[in-house]
Amino acid sequence: MTLDDLRRAAVAQTLFTPTTLQRALDALGFVQADPIRAPARAQDLTLRQRVAGYRAGDLERRYSRLDVHEDFFVNYGFVTGAVQALMHPRGGPRPWTAARGRHVHALLDFVRTRGSVHPRQVDEHFSHGTVTNYWGGSSSATTHLLDAMHYRGLLRVVRREAGIRIYEAHEHDPGPRGIATRRAHLDALVDVIVRNYAPLPAASLSNLVRRLRFAVPQWAGELERTLQRARRRLAHARVEGVDWYWPAEQPLPVAVNDVVRLLAPFDPVVWDRRRFEILWGWAYRFEAYTPAPKRKLGYYALPLLWRDRVIGWGNVSMEHGTLQSDFGYIASQPPQGRIFRRALEEELNRLSVFLGLES
């Protein structure tokens, strides 16, 4: 086992043969979301590598017909019904206060009566005011409460209108009562993590399993034992002083193709920055929230994958209906030869089609 084997596995683990959207979602179980569109949202940039003929916005357009739900896993995104059932009923980090509980019951009755609601309708009916949000600014108390109820599983997102979540009331089946079933649920959630992000160095596996406290806060006290079981049951090897883990039933692939991919900042290939630096020898950083003078790569730099190496990054935008791109390389210069140039051109053509810019 070598780092080359692990690099190839990291690429092949997630950039599998393109398939249908539902099958890709079933295989992944979870796709991280991000609202920034540069040139498309993160979930679309992730899925375009895995779904034949995928176009930007397909997930949102087909959402109501798919077995998929907006929810929180190790990050916020889209989970299949099977994964959601492993996490709920979730509850929250602490019980509602008496006053908040009255608001919740009143709001839930209102949603059930209406069938589905826009946050604006709820706000107009209840006039909850404003609260301080995560970033220190002001946001609607109605939106804040709807988010909390959605997180706890009392509501589900049925669709979006102009990017705004539309909610309906929802009720999950009772959670597992026995400890054996609960452990089986937790192990299955770890398997979803490993399917997405393997091969994982030991520190990253620990971090991701502990992030399940967001998915199943009701079982946060069992996550250390869950991690111990994962270390025993997953396939693993020690490579250059680091322990690596991957699904026990999945051999590490070795095939490498002459393909260029522009990856999303939250793509499973990229998300784990620790693994990224071990495998590709440089530090990628997402700089959308970095002040412009301090950016080194760009506002929304897309890591550039060539064969089994991430060799640089690209900043891509649409101007007057055409695709504009600018690239940077770790080695200062791109790989020489027409094979790479042709592969890069093919990727930019695929990106144009994905964005609906084809003539």
Side-chain angles (χ1 to χ4, degrees), residues 76-223:
Y76 188 83
F78 299 85
V79 299
T80 60
V83 173
Q84 189 178 61
L86 295 170
M87 303 187 294
H88 288 276
R90 176 183 283 154
R94 60 186 65 85
W96 303 115
T97 64
R100 178 54 63 92
R102 288 193 294 272
H103 287 155
V104 167
H105 286 300
L107 197 154
L108 201 52
D109 287 342
F110 178 77
V111 176
R112 285 171 176 152
T113 300
R114 296 298 181 95
S116 63
V117 298
H118 189 290
R120 184 176 57 250
Q121 295 173 288
V122 181
D123 204 38
E124 289 170 352
H125 184 81
F126 291 100
S127 299
H128 281 139
T130 60
V131 296
T132 301
N133 64 27
Y134 179 81
W135 293 273
S138 178
S139 62
S140 166
T142 297
T143 300
H144 190 267
L145 183 55
L146 287 168
D147 287 348
M149 292 172 65
H150 174 219
Y151 175 75
R152 294 185 185 223
L154 299 173
L155 302 174
R156 71 177 295 267
V157 177
V158 290
R159 65 183 183 280
R160 284 186 179 242
E161 293 181 2
I164 305 298
R165 299 184 189 115
I166 306 301
Y167 294 98
E168 71 176 13
H170 190 66
E171 187 172 340
H172 293 277
D173 292 335
R177 294 182 179 273
I179 189 168
T181 306
R182 191 160 62 244
R183 286 176 177 171
H185 279 217
L186 286 164
D187 290 346
L189 290 171
V190 171
D191 290 342
V192 176
I193 287 172
V194 177
R195 282 206 309 271
N196 273 269
Y197 299 107
L200 279 164
S204 296
L205 176 65
S206 299
N207 176 52
L208 279 162
V209 171
R210 290 175 180 131
R211 285 185 69 86
L212 285 175
R213 67 188 182 277
F214 302 117
V216 284
Q218 68 274 29
W219 300 332
E222 299 189 34
L223 293 180

Side-chain angles (χ1 to χ4, degrees), residues 266-283:
F266 305 107
D267 191 290
V269 176
V270 176
W271 181 85
D272 180 0
R273 307 295 193 249
R274 177 189 293 106
R275 187 185 78 160
F276 189 101
E277 292 185 31
I278 295 173
L279 293 182
W280 290 296
W282 61 281

